[in-house]
Amino acid sequence: MYQKIVVPVDLEHADKIDNALRAAAALSRLWSAEVVYLAVHGSAPDRVASSPEKFEVELDMFAREQAEAHDVERYTTCVVPSVDVAVELDDKLLEAIDDLGADLVVMASHVPGVPDRLHLLSSNAAKIVRQSSVSVFVVR
């Protein structure tokens, strides 16, 4: 049913997306689908890497670890450059999902809290669900 599953990854918060990673892996095994670990990254140094090149290496290592841990046979990585990740994240994800030819997105949702009830935080998952041309599985 699915051939290419995209999993948006934020390496700074990789510990919070384990359920989505496991779900993507299970769906990948079920349909023999490729998993694409997708990250949007700026050019400025951050806690993960000091350069875009080092970030790509970190994402590749992360993907390899996930594939081994969750028995994913086919996987790739994709880093999308951004001038301002906070502003461009959703649009960059949507563009990459289309460019990659994905037919399913499996992504983590943040745990709702006070900022959500006060409408202080926007939901990346909600925008992807509303605007993506493919199915989106949001995992909490």
Side-chain angles (χ1 to χ4, degrees), residues 33-68:
E34 175 185 12
V35 175
V36 180
Y37 298 96
L38 170 65
V40 178
H41 189 261
S43 58
D46 60 20
R47 289 185 287 177
V48 175
S50 59
S51 70
E53 297 78 21
K54 289 184 180 180
F55 184 84
E56 285 188 34
V57 170
E58 291 296 323
L59 183 61
D60 287 341
M61 286 190 324
F62 175 81
R64 188 173 336 125
E65 291 168 1
Q66 292 304 310
E68 290 174 9

Side-chain angles (χ1 to χ4, degrees), residues 6 38 40 78 80-81 88-102 105 127-128 131-133:
V6 168
L38 170 65
V40 178
C78 178
V80 177
E88 297 181 324
L89 179 63
D90 296 335
D91 292 333
K92 293 286 187 177
L93 287 174
L94 288 164
E95 183 179 331
I97 290 164
D98 286 341
D99 290 349
L100 289 166
V105 176
K127 184 167 183 181
I128 302 303
Q131 295 187 5
S132 179
S133 60

Side-chain angles (χ1 to χ4, degrees), residues 5 20 22 46 113-115 121 129 132 135:
I5 300 169
R22 283 188 280 120
D46 60 20
V114 173
L121 286 178
V129 167
S132 179
S135 296

